[in-house]
Amino acid sequence: MIDVIPVASPHLDEDDITAAVRVLRSGALVQGREVAAFEDEFSDLVDGRHCIAVNSGTTALWLPLLGLGIGPGDEVIIPAFTFAATAAAVRLTGATPVFADIDPVSFCLDPTAAAEAVTSRTAAIIPVHLFGHPADLGALLTLARRHGIALIEDAAQAHAATLHARPVGTFGTAAAFSFYPTKNMQSVEGGMITTADPGLARTLRLLRNVGMETRYCHEIVGTNGRLNDVFAAIGRTQLRKLPARTAARRAHAAHLDAALAGVAGISPPTTGIGAGHVYHQYTIRVDDGRDAFAQALLEDRVGCSVHYPVPLHRSPAYRTAAHLPHTDTAAAQVLSLPVHPGLARADLDRIVTTVLRHARREQLAA
Ligand SMILES: *Cc1c(COP(=O)(O)O)cnc(C)c1O
């Protein structure tokens, strides 16, 4: 039987493994040279902003909220069409996530909907660069400035994405990246916070290290959010490969775009003006019968998955009565196809022929 083409391909190359083993043998495992070097090198990706490495993307969202003093009584505007960590970070501070609808083209937070969600309690807004497409930061920053609230970018899926040639992670008060294995680069587990504010950067370093800079001098209440040096070493080798791997994702997406354009019943992803998409996911819409379509692809051994089938305002932990029609439609229609750098030309051809065959069958049945 032919192999399944996986929808994601978490990869660790020999150079990543060698780097990890070198650090393990060195014995310098925590808050050593590798973490500092990783922060320094990552800073090149975000125009020299301060970089604070942490143990996950979730921690990278949570700590800036804490550092800005956001907590009980505050509201934070976020999309419901995202991974739950965006909402979890808000709730873990004691603040309340307020869900606003998405733009149906980019799948990212809609600035008009976000504006309508602002109240006197709004303390921050967290746009998500979903699937690797930058959110509409121009309009969202205008909104944030007008109300004097913080904007934190959830860039967990968008390493090296750009908007009008400027990298994501350089727009907000702070930004959060994730290095979970399926992300565009990984460190097994890990995250990075970026900020231009040196005072906030210092607070974040304290928050990640149980509130201390000097040992046993606890200036504030903090958590243990540290990244270890073994993982940081993997992050460094992965960072060096990010440009080539991003180019591969874009080439694969261009191939799929060309092959799937104009096919009745499905729509390839669209890129907004000035958006430098990095295709963490290649997410199409299937007008009708998405679940059966996905099942048919899986039976033909083409991996695919739904991000996200249950929007957060409908999931038990975060349920609200928010009216989010674009979010609900997206959750019913989206389907992510493989786009990762591990695909060969033959894989792409098989993805295309399988998708076209099932799209035609749907049309004939309709
Ligand atoms: C992966 C992800 C996170 C959380 O990152 P972890 O490293 O898994 O904690 C947050 N937001 C979004 C949009 C993500 O995709």
Side-chain angles (χ1 to χ4, degrees):
M1 201 190 262
I2 51 169
D3 290 339
V4 177
I5 301 171
V7 69
S9 170
H11 73 291
L12 280 178
D13 301 321
E14 272 314 307
D15 60 335
D16 301 314
I17 293 165
T18 305
V21 169
R22 174 174 47 74
V23 177
L24 280 168
R25 288 199 202 290
S26 79
L29 304 182
V30 175
Q31 296 281 286
R33 282 184 29 228
E34 296 294 330
V35 167
F38 186 30
E39 291 175 340
D40 196 46
E41 290 160 8
F42 198 87
S43 156
D44 289 341
L45 203 66
V46 287
D47 294 350
R49 284 198 164 198
H50 302 277
C51 289
I52 300 95
V54 291
N55 57 8
S56 73
T58 305
T59 304
L61 283 165
W62 178 43
L63 298 191
L65 293 168
L66 287 180
L68 292 167
I70 292 169
D74 292 325
E75 293 176 356
V76 178
I77 297 169
I78 65 171
F81 196 56
T82 177
F83 181 59
T86 319
V90 174
R91 281 279 291 277
L92 287 170
T93 69
T96 304
V98 173
F99 298 116
D101 212 351
I102 55 167
D103 172 323
V105 173
S106 69
F107 297 115
C108 298
L109 191 61
D110 172 21
T112 308
E116 285 164 5
V118 173
T119 73
S120 59
R121 291 171 176 263
T122 306
I125 173 166
I126 311 182
V128 180
H129 306 312
L130 199 71
F131 307 145
H133 187 294
D136 187 351
L137 291 165
L140 291 166
L141 277 171
T142 305
L143 176 69
R145 289 201 188 104
R146 183 174 343 122
H147 293 281
I149 58 182
L151 185 147
I152 296 169
E153 299 170 65
D154 183 338
Q157 304 185 355
H159 321 70
T162 55
L163 184 61
H164 299 299
R166 182 170 159 189
V168 304
T170 66
F171 290 86
T173 314
F177 292 84
S178 164
F179 307 124
Y180 182 75
T182 59
K183 301 291 158 84
N184 290 27
M185 60 174 282
Q186 68 149 317
S187 67
V188 183
E189 293 270 16
M192 191 71 78
I193 310 168
T194 65
T195 179
D197 178 344
L200 179 60
R202 179 165 193 279
T203 303
L204 293 169
R205 288 180 194 287
L206 292 172
L207 285 170
R208 118 181 126 177
N209 195 32
V210 204
M212 61 186 176
E213 182 176 275
T214 310
R215 190 177 287 191
Y216 304 131
C217 171
H218 302 279
E219 300 178 37
I220 59 174
V221 177
T223 185
N224 173 2
R226 295 186 298 261
L227 184 69
N228 67 69
D229 280 67
V230 181
F231 289 2
I234 294 174
R236 293 180 69 197
T237 49
Q238 291 260 321
L239 182 59
R240 287 200 275 279
K241 292 178 280 195
L242 182 66
R245 295 174 59 83
T246 301
R249 284 179 184 274
R250 286 178 169 154
H252 296 164
H255 183 103
L256 294 171
D257 281 348
L260 302 182
V263 176
I266 63 172
S267 330
T270 332
T271 305
I273 296 163
H277 197 327
V278 293
Y279 296 97
H280 172 60
Q281 302 290 354
Y282 184 87
T283 303
I284 65 169
R285 281 183 191 262
V286 182
D287 293 350
D288 296 299
R290 187 268 322 274
D291 291 340
F293 192 88
Q295 193 54 41
L297 294 187
L298 291 170
E299 274 161 21
D300 283 343
R301 308 182 77 70
V302 169
C304 57
S305 59
V306 175
H307 310 99
Y308 297 90
V310 183
L312 298 180
H313 70 300
R314 297 190 184 280
S315 80
Y318 304 102
R319 201 183 302 278
T320 71
H323 177 61
L324 309 171
H326 293 306
T327 296
D328 285 329
T329 304
Q333 293 186 331
V334 290
L335 187 65
S336 299
L337 303 176
V339 73
H340 56 80
L343 297 174
R345 179 58 200 253
D347 297 326
L348 286 166
D349 290 342
R350 224 175 91 206
I351 294 163
V352 168
T353 48
T354 309
V355 169
L356 292 182
R357 188 165 69 243
H358 290 295
R360 289 214 185 89
R361 188 168 300 158
E362 283 291 308
Q363 287 312 113
L364 290 175

